[in-house]
Amino acid sequence: VVFAVWGSSSEVRLRFQGTDAIKERVDVWSANAAMIKAHPFFGVGWHHNSELSHAYYESLGTKGFESHAHNNVLDQWASTGLVGVIAFLWLNISLIWVAYSIYKNTHDLLWRSLGLGLLGAWFCLHINGLTQANWWDAKVLHQLGWATALSIEVHSRFVRRKR
């Protein structure tokens, strides 16, 4: 009820007036898809897809949202190519598996909760990553580094304990 009332307020209408976020995303996704098509195996270079989106729009004679891909997989593929996106997918699948195994392989409530929390966090990161590239912002990368290190350390402790 609170959300419905707030959502129908003039404040919210004013905030979203004149924005076309979906069209902007589709434009930048199209630009990155063209980069993938032109450089499928090794990409255009780490984080160079943002600056190259301007040239893409110029070649079409249009103006568009000049930015990174706003999608984790598209961003990785456009900037690092097929080689990079395979490594990216391997890393993320491995981290999800590590979090699941922390959750599944212990009966201690604290560690089981940590595993479930990490598992949920990785899934939320990738759901958010459908419309945003999370691997650009330094603050996010620091958090990802800490979560990755924590996941690997806790998992390795459980593996050692089982031996």
Side-chain angles (χ1 to χ4, degrees), residues 50-65:
S50 182
E51 60 199 41
L52 291 172
S53 60
H54 175 76
Y56 169 78
Y57 296 127
E58 237 177 33
S59 74
L60 295 178
T62 64
K63 289 189 177 205
F65 184 48

Side-chain angles (χ1 to χ4, degrees), residues 95 118 121-122 125 134-135 137-151:
L95 289 169
L118 287 167
W122 290 121
L125 177 80
N134 306 36
W135 304 88
D137 189 12
K139 293 178 292 207
V140 175
L141 288 175
H142 286 110
Q143 293 168 358
L144 287 169
W146 282 108
T148 300
L150 179 64
S151 298

Side-chain angles (χ1 to χ4, degrees), residues 75-118:
D75 189 72
Q76 292 297 321
W77 199 343
S79 63
T80 62
L82 186 61
V83 173
V85 81
I86 289 171
F88 173 79
L89 292 172
W90 175 83
L91 170 69
N92 286 283
I93 290 167
S94 297
L95 289 169
I96 288 169
W97 178 83
V98 164
Y100 177 74
S101 104
I102 292 169
Y103 167 73
K104 191 72 174 162
N105 293 325
T106 183
H107 297 291
D108 185 286
L109 185 58
L110 176 66
W111 295 112
R112 194 169 169 92
S113 298
L114 176 68
L116 188 59
L118 287 167

Side-chain angles (χ1 to χ4, degrees), residues 9 26 34 44 47 64 77-78 92 99 114 118-119 121 126 134 136 157:
S9 72
V26 170
V44 296
H47 286 197
W77 199 343
N92 286 283
L114 176 68
L118 287 167
L119 187 62
H126 293 296
N134 306 36
W136 271 76
R157 287 178 187 229

